Amino acid sequence: MQVFDNLALKEVQSISIDGSPDRLKEIIRMILQELNQMGYSDVCNILEEESQIKLDTTQMNELKESFLNGDYEKLLQQLEFSETINRKLQYEIQKQLYLELVQQKNYEQAVNLLRQLSEYNEKESQVLAKLIFLQEDASQLYIELAIPMDQGEQRLQLYQKTLNLVNFGEFSLKTQFDKVIDQALEYQIKQCPYHNDSNENKNYSLLLDHNCQCYQIPKNNSIIFQDFDDEVWIGKFSNSGIWIGCATRKNSIYIISKESQQKISKAHQMDINSLVFTSDDKLLFSASNDKKINGYDVQTAQLKVTINQHTNEVLCLAYFKNQLFSGGVDGWIGIWQDNGKLINQIKSKVVKNILITDQYMLLHNAAVFSITVIENDFKFNKIITHLEEQEIIVSSAISQNQQFLVLNISKEKPKLHLWSLKTFQKLHVFFGFQVKGIEMKCCFGSKNDNYVCVGSQDGKVHFFNKNNQLQQNIIDGHDQTINYVDWHSQTAQLLTASDDKSVKIWIQDQVTQQYIINVSNEYDQPSNSQYGEIEEEQDDHEDEEEYQQQSEGDQSF
């Protein structure tokens, strides 16, 4: 104990804050509070003697004495004088008085006081009432109330509760040391440029500046798919990470992997706006300005389904719980089975993007500067709120844990806005990338979705930390504009698609061998199919053909 005492004294005596005697006094009193709570009373006495700073003021000592002596009338006067009395504290004091009246068998006053207690907490008052009738064996009731049976311990507990409820004078009665440490750690985390919330990174120390490593950023290029027939406007991982779906300026669709590359020439007659894989990765759906939705077999690149019930441009697709969602210019959202059968229609405005979580459907309305949040009850008729912006929303994405939304705002002054889907409040704004008249996709990535990623017109990829608004890293991705980024949640690989007619795969680990694959040398699948189109008056029977099962195991890039 003497060694600890000496160390504590040296630590306090070494504190020197020029021109701030009040700050030094505050630090010493916080240390005294923490040491006292830890039970090091000898250390507290030595520190008080050496520093001439007392933990308890005269007023606080009198207050503590009133608690321990059970002088509740004087206690209420002291608290009322300090303007810290509140209803909860009054209830706790009256409850202690009730316990003592029961122990004294003064049941008449106890019952009168119980009536007042029931007005504040009826449920607990019912348990307190049982003490009158179960004096012989009341131990279980005291356990249920979380109150010790000894009167001295009860009064001390009440004193501790009071410390947590009031702020007395210039110095809080509640121990502040833990709170100060928490605030310091929070500040360290906000200043950490690569902070992540993974379990292996939870052991923070204030002895060193907190600094996570940047290993979670996939900045090493492992595969280059090149020689697409034109600018690559869309590049998207399948759910398993085995396949990639791409769409080019020439309206061609590519279904590619490291082992196989298939091209569907002129998959649509007009621009392709969206691609989405089914949950089992058997089909890839595409939406176009030609008013059609096509579904292709991922293994063979054959056209399996064509949906042509939209009467205007189809701008977006989403896939959720084995259902395909489509939206566009014609003012309604279609919900479809994989075989193209219409399940439901939802009235809407012009929809630029559809995002779906377990709780909400989020609609990116092209005509207004907002995101409409709708309750996901499979009826989709109850609007929860609107996330209002002041500028054009270019693109949008939801984090894997469904707690955050990122919006790419404005084509002229580019920035990303991070929103909370719990509070529907805007959290951060990210700057730094270049956009001019181009619609660029943004996304979340890494463990716990710690990063936000977006391409740039100068061919760079920008990473931002969603926890502290800091730009983390920039990688030189392509020679021309990056139109699309997709960060796979399971494989941690990043995909970038560019105007330079290439798609690149980025990984976290060091690359021992880089693969360059020419997609132009692979088989060109014609866009027509034996299955034809599904017209508006379609058969109700479902397509019973079984698609070839995908090989099992981890075949990601």
Side-chain angles (χ1 to χ4, degrees):
M1 176 61 74
Q2 188 60 42
V3 173
F4 184 86
D5 292 353
N6 292 337
L7 288 174
L9 265 178
K10 289 180 180 179
E11 183 68 22
V12 174
Q13 291 170 347
S14 66
I15 300 174
S16 176
I17 307 175
D18 296 336
S20 303
D22 291 338
R23 171 63 68 85
L24 178 57
K25 180 181 177 182
E26 192 172 289
I27 291 173
I28 293 174
R29 292 185 70 183
M30 280 196 296
I31 294 173
L32 284 169
Q33 278 187 318
E34 188 67 19
L35 291 174
N36 184 63
Q37 185 144 329
M38 293 168 65
Y40 296 118
S41 56
D42 292 343
V43 179
C44 288
N45 294 334
I46 296 172
L47 182 53
E48 286 182 334
E49 183 179 347
E50 293 289 332
S51 65
Q52 297 298 307
I53 297 173
K54 300 295 183 182
L55 172 60
D56 292 337
T57 62
T58 302
Q59 195 176 24
M60 289 171 61
N61 282 325
E62 291 177 356
L63 182 69
K64 186 175 182 179
E65 186 177 347
S66 298
F67 271 104
L68 299 182
N69 293 334
D71 193 350
Y72 299 116
E73 291 186 7
K74 182 178 179 182
L75 177 61
L76 290 171
Q77 291 176 356
Q78 289 171 318
L79 291 173
E80 187 175 6
F81 175 78
S82 65
E83 298 181 353
T84 57
I85 188 70
N86 58 59
R87 186 65 187 92
K88 181 172 177 55
L89 180 55
Q90 186 178 10
Y91 171 80
E92 294 294 337
I93 294 173
Q94 288 177 331
K95 183 171 71 174
Q96 178 58 34
L97 180 56
Y98 169 82
L99 293 173
E100 295 185 16
L101 288 173
V102 171
Q103 290 171 352
Q104 297 167 11
K105 298 186 178 182
N106 190 343
Y107 299 130
E108 183 178 353
Q109 291 188 33
V111 170
N112 291 333
L113 189 58
L114 187 63
R115 293 192 183 98
Q116 299 179 40
L117 294 173
S118 62
E119 293 177 1
Y120 182 83
N121 191 331
E122 183 177 357
K123 184 177 180 180
E124 189 174 59
S125 297
Q126 292 174 357
V127 181
L128 290 169
K130 296 178 182 179
L131 290 173
I132 297 177
F133 306 102
L134 297 175
Q135 274 291 295
E136 298 298 328
D137 186 19
S139 57
Q140 290 300 320
L141 293 177
Y142 280 98
I143 293 174
E144 186 177 349
L145 293 166
I147 297 173
M149 294 188 68
D150 181 75
Q151 187 180 90
E153 293 181 5
Q154 291 173 2
R155 292 176 176 178
L156 185 60
Q157 184 187 68
L158 177 60
Y159 174 68
Q160 294 295 334
K161 285 183 179 179
T162 306
L163 301 187
N164 294 327
L165 289 173
V166 302
N167 191 296
F168 199 83
E170 64 176 7
F171 189 73
S172 174
L173 296 179
K174 183 179 178 180
T175 301
Q176 294 291 296
F177 208 74
D178 284 343
K179 183 177 179 181
V180 171
I181 290 177
D182 289 341
Q183 291 173 339
L185 287 173
E186 184 180 352
Y187 176 80
Q188 289 267 26
I189 289 171
K190 287 183 177 181
Q191 297 304 307
C192 174
Y194 302 106
H195 182 71
N196 65 81
D197 296 323
S198 56
N199 290 330
E200 64 267 23
N201 202 45
K202 292 290 187 182
N203 297 322
Y204 312 137
S205 172
L206 290 177
L207 299 177
L208 297 172
D209 287 340
H210 174 67
N211 188 17
C212 299
Q213 300 299 313
C214 64
Y215 68 90
Q216 288 196 346
I217 293 180
K219 54 185 178 181
N220 301 305
N221 184 208
S222 62
I223 303 176
I224 302 175
F225 295 99
Q226 61 184 19
D227 289 342
F228 286 84
D229 62 9
D230 209 326
E231 299 171 358
V232 186
W233 285 359
I234 302 174
K236 191 175 182 66
F237 279 118
S238 67
N239 296 288
S240 64
I242 298 173
W243 301 95
I244 293 176
C246 300
T248 68
R249 184 180 179 184
K250 285 189 176 179
N251 308 326
S252 297
I253 291 177
Y254 291 77
I255 303 176
I256 60 178
S257 69
K258 189 176 178 180
E259 292 77 22
S260 172
Q261 298 83 45
Q262 300 183 89
K263 175 185 176 183
I264 306 165
S265 297
K266 296 183 180 179
H268 288 271
Q269 300 304 311
M270 301 175 71
D271 290 350
I272 298 172
N273 297 313
S274 183
L275 296 176
V276 67
F277 285 91
T278 55
S279 300
D280 55 11
D281 286 353
K282 289 182 178 179
L283 291 175
L284 173 67
F285 283 100
S286 59
S288 169
N289 285 347
D290 64 7
K291 310 175 187 177
K292 293 182 180 180
I293 301 170
N294 290 340
Y296 297 93
D297 187 297
V298 171
Q299 297 279 355
T300 65
Q302 287 186 339
L303 180 64
K304 293 293 184 181
V305 178
T306 294
I307 301 171
N308 62 358
Q309 291 174 243
H310 280 282
T311 58
N312 214 320
E313 300 170 0
V314 187
L315 302 179
C316 58
L317 296 174
Y319 199 85
F320 183 77
K321 293 189 176 179
N322 298 322
Q323 293 181 344
L324 177 69
F325 293 72
S326 64
V329 179
D330 54 6
W332 62 280
I333 295 170
I335 305 177
W336 317 83
Q337 293 180 351
D338 289 353
N339 64 1
K341 180 181 178 180
L342 182 63
I343 302 172
N344 193 11
Q345 284 180 281
I346 305 169
K347 187 177 180 181
S348 70
K349 298 181 180 179
V350 178
V351 181
K352 188 69 177 294
N353 195 14
I354 302 173
L355 302 169
I356 307 177
T357 72
D358 294 332
Q359 289 184 284
Y360 309 114
M361 171 191 279
L362 289 85
L363 301 182
H364 171 182
N365 302 314
V368 294
F369 302 158
S370 69
I371 298 289
T372 302
V373 183
I374 302 172
E375 183 179 355
N376 183 358
D377 57 357
F378 301 104
K379 296 180 181 179
F380 304 106
N381 56 10
K382 181 180 179 181
I383 295 178
I384 304 299
T385 187
H386 296 276
L387 307 182
E388 301 289 347
E389 292 286 357
Q390 302 301 316
E391 302 174 72
I392 296 173
I393 302 173
V394 177
S395 65
S396 51
I398 283 182
S399 62
Q400 188 70 20
N401 60 15
Q402 303 183 1
Q403 295 181 9
F404 300 95
L405 170 72
V406 63
L407 304 179
N408 190 348
I409 303 297
S410 180
K411 297 181 181 180
E412 301 300 327
K413 297 179 180 179
K415 51 186 171 290
L416 302 178
H417 286 176
L418 181 70
W419 288 80
S420 168
L421 292 181
K422 285 186 174 181
T423 62
F424 301 115
Q425 299 294 317
K426 191 182 299 181
L427 302 176
H428 296 310
V429 181
F430 306 108
F431 298 93
F433 57 99
Q434 298 179 13
V435 178
K436 189 174 182 181
I438 299 172
E439 296 187 359
M440 289 182 174
K441 172 71 174 178
C442 54
C443 69
F444 288 89
S446 84
K447 290 184 179 179
N448 301 323
D449 301 311
N450 283 307
Y451 298 116
V452 174
C453 176
V454 67
S456 183
Q457 195 163 3
D458 56 7
K460 299 182 184 298
V461 184
H462 294 253
F463 300 88
F464 301 91
N465 191 321
K466 75 170 176 57
N467 298 301
N468 55 24
Q469 204 168 334
L470 299 177
Q471 180 163 290
Q472 309 309 296
N473 217 317
I474 301 175
I475 59 175
D476 293 321
H478 293 262
D479 297 330
Q480 297 182 39
T481 299
I482 296 176
N483 299 308
Y484 210 100
V485 292
D486 190 20
W487 200 334
H488 196 271
S489 60
Q490 298 176 9
T491 65
Q493 298 174 348
L494 177 70
L495 177 154
T496 56
S498 170
D499 281 355
D500 63 9
K501 302 181 182 180
S502 73
V503 169
K504 294 184 179 181
I505 306 299
W506 306 80
I507 62 175
Q508 298 170 356
D509 301 327
Q510 291 296 323
V511 175
T512 56
Q513 181 182 359
Q514 186 184 64
Y515 294 90
I516 300 177
I517 300 174
N518 295 321
V519 297
S520 61
N521 296 332
E522 298 301 325
Y523 176 68
D524 191 347
Q525 174 73 27
S527 60
N528 61 339
S529 167
Q530 58 179 328
Y531 289 87
E533 297 181 352
I534 294 182
E535 302 292 342
E536 184 168 359
E537 298 295 332
Q538 57 184 333
D539 295 334
D540 288 341
H541 70 276
E542 297 186 7
D543 187 359
E544 298 179 354
E545 179 179 356
E546 294 292 334
Y547 301 133
Q548 180 181 355
Q549 295 292 327
Q550 295 183 3
S551 58
E552 298 180 354
D554 184 10
Q555 300 183 39
S556 67
F557 297 109

